[in-house]
Amino acid sequence: AQSVTQLDSHVSVSEGTPVLLRCNYSSSYSPSLFWYVQHPNKGLQLLLKYTSAATLVKGINGFEAEFKKSETSFHLTKPSAHMSDAAEYFCVVSVLNTGFQKLVFGTGTRLLVSP
Amino acid sequence: GAGVSQSPRYKVAKRGQDVALRCDPISGHVSLFWYQQALGQGPEFLTYFQNEAQLDKSGLPSDRFFAERPEGSVSTLKIQRTQQEDSAVYLCASSQLQGGYSNQPQHFGDGTRLSIL
């Protein structure tokens, strides 16, 4: 079965330092992978998606992720954190299910950014 | 507005009451999804509509949960005889095409936070 595992429940960084949010996936075929962000009391916003094109995917707000098949990983990075990046981040795999693609979410990583 | 709209934003109900949660998807979007997000967890799939047809309801926790989209636009998620374990954020998402396309994004509403006392 397709699934994702987010390795850290919380990540704390200082403003201006790099961000690394880790995600490993399990899939029996080439997966479609996404990162979504959720700010408090808000819905989910798509940051970026991987669908078997380039392995390095650039998203919004300076985020990017690299698909590494050999490591079954899809880690999210950003060179320099901003205070506004503080939020919950979800790694997501898309699963083909009876004619539609169902999103399966990881448990989330809360990113804390300190001044 | 241009996004997915959900109402109410917050709902408090007593155990045993029925509740109805509304979702207005982006105009013209074919696919509509409902998710349940328990506190501290990622969203979990509940059900999927393609236009007015409910093609998958395998994620609905029990027969107390019912969803409809009668005209292929607005959808309502109804929970009968609510229980405390139904307390969660209920998220609605829509996407433009039929659900079989893996590279199309799902656009999420801000959710309805349901609290059962």
Side-chain angles (χ1 to χ4, degrees), chain B residues 18-98:
Chain B
D18 299 347
V19 298
L21 312 179
R22 177 187 171 101
C23 172
D24 281 89
I26 294 173
S27 179
H29 276 199
V30 170
S31 295
L32 186 145
F33 304 81
W34 283 98
Y35 295 85
Q36 181 190 58
Q37 185 176 18
L39 187 64
Q41 300 295 318
E44 292 191 355
F45 169 82
L46 293 178
T47 187
Y48 164 64
F49 288 88
Q50 181 178 305
N51 295 308
E52 71 278 4
Q54 188 176 21
L55 299 188
D56 190 298
K57 55 182 180 180
S58 61
L60 296 177
S62 75
D63 59 7
R64 297 186 294 104
F65 286 71
F66 172 75
E68 60 183 4
R69 193 186 186 197
E71 298 180 358
S73 55
V74 172
S75 177
T76 304
L77 176 66
K78 298 179 180 178
I79 310 174
Q80 298 176 326
R81 306 180 304 281
T82 53
Q83 303 294 319
Q84 283 193 323
E85 61 263 28
D86 300 335
S87 296
V89 174
Y90 290 86
L91 295 165
C92 176
S94 70
S95 59
Q96 186 174 11
L97 302 176
Q98 295 175 10

Side-chain angles (χ1 to χ4, degrees), chain A residues 32 34 36 38 41-46 49 51 88 90 94 96-108, chain B residues 9-10 33 35 37 40-45 48 55-56 58 91 99-106 108-110 113:
Chain A
S32 292
F34 307 79
Y36 279 83
Q38 186 176 37
N41 297 316
K42 301 292 285 184
L44 293 142
Q45 181 184 19
L46 179 66
K49 62 183 179 184
T51 54
E88 189 88 17
F90 293 97
S94 180
L96 182 60
N97 184 70
T98 57
F100 73 98
Q101 295 283 343
K102 182 170 73 172
L103 298 184
V104 176
F105 287 77
T107 52
Chain B
R9 286 297 318 278
Y10 303 92
F33 304 81
Y35 295 85
Q37 185 176 18
Q41 300 295 318
E44 292 191 355
F45 169 82
Y48 164 64
L55 299 188
D56 190 298
S58 61
L91 295 165
Y101 295 88
S102 65
N103 61 352
Q104 60 166 331
Q106 293 186 20
F108 284 81
D110 288 344
R113 183 176 297 276

Side-chain angles (χ1 to χ4, degrees), chain A residues 3-56:
Chain A
S3 65
V4 289
T5 301
Q6 293 185 244
L7 302 173
D8 306 291
S9 60
H10 293 81
V11 170
S12 295
V13 300
S14 298
E15 191 175 22
T17 64
V19 176
L20 170 64
L21 305 183
R22 298 183 295 166
C23 174
N24 287 116
Y25 69 90
S26 173
S27 177
S28 55
Y29 55 85
S30 183
S32 292
L33 294 163
F34 307 79
W35 277 97
Y36 279 83
V37 61
Q38 186 176 37
H39 288 92
N41 297 316
K42 301 292 285 184
L44 293 142
Q45 181 184 19
L46 179 66
L47 280 178
L48 50 80
K49 62 183 179 184
Y50 166 77
T51 54
S52 72
T55 56
L56 182 62

